Amino acid sequence: MNQASIMELVEKTSLRENPPQFEIGDTVDVHLKILEGAKERIQVFSGVVIARSGCGAKEMFMVRRIVAGQGVERKFPVHSPRIEKVEVKRSGVVRRAKLYFLRDRVGKAVRLKERRRS
């Protein structure tokens, strides 16, 4: 066995059975498990998915939201065991893979048109 096949084998074991289904431009709630001492609680981070990158066990997605007038972005691994679930609240109409242009916008200009569900 060469090193590449060993890496593939290790990555397969860390993949989720059913990864969350969402797309760029969706407004999502990411439910995270947070450890505080001996207690464990769920914290929700909600915002717009502005990017997805990587593949396999290294796949990540970036969520952006506005807190007290300041933009906050957070990157999450798709296959992380700390992510309880990803809930899709809205689906936005987008025409590109990365929505970095939303960083320059403020107020109502940040909103995306909603995609019709069929």
Side-chain angles (χ1 to χ4, degrees):
M1 285 183 110
N2 60 3
Q3 190 173 5
S5 62
I6 293 172
M7 287 299 293
E8 286 176 25
L9 187 67
V10 170
E11 281 186 10
K12 277 185 185 175
T13 59
S14 63
L15 294 179
R16 281 182 147 194
E17 292 285 324
N18 51 351
Q21 300 297 315
F22 58 90
E23 296 177 23
I24 307 294
D26 289 356
T27 302
V28 295
D29 286 351
V30 182
H31 296 257
L32 286 166
K33 293 178 192 170
I34 304 290
L35 284 170
E36 292 176 339
K39 293 182 183 177
E40 187 177 277
R41 67 182 180 89
I42 304 259
Q43 184 177 40
V44 180
F45 189 89
S46 43
V48 178
V49 178
I50 63 167
R52 267 184 106 141
S53 61
C55 62
K58 299 178 208 136
E59 188 175 0
M60 307 281 275
F61 66 99
M62 191 181 302
V63 179
R64 179 180 174 81
R65 75 182 205 181
I66 307 293
V67 179
Q70 194 73 25
V72 176
E73 292 180 3
R74 190 158 174 194
K75 222 171 178 185
F76 300 100
V78 171
H79 297 282
S80 172
R82 289 192 175 262
I83 292 180
E84 183 77 16
K85 65 180 176 178
V86 177
E87 235 179 294
V88 177
K89 294 293 184 184
R90 293 181 64 217
S91 294
V93 175
V94 293
R95 294 169 63 176
R96 49 192 81 242
K98 306 282 192 268
L99 304 182
Y100 297 141
F101 65 89
L102 292 178
R103 293 173 175 167
D104 302 327
R105 297 189 177 185
V106 288
K108 288 185 177 180
V110 176
R111 290 185 295 175
L112 299 168
K113 281 188 202 170
E114 192 158 359
R115 186 181 322 131
R116 296 193 191 281
R117 296 180 189 200
S118 50

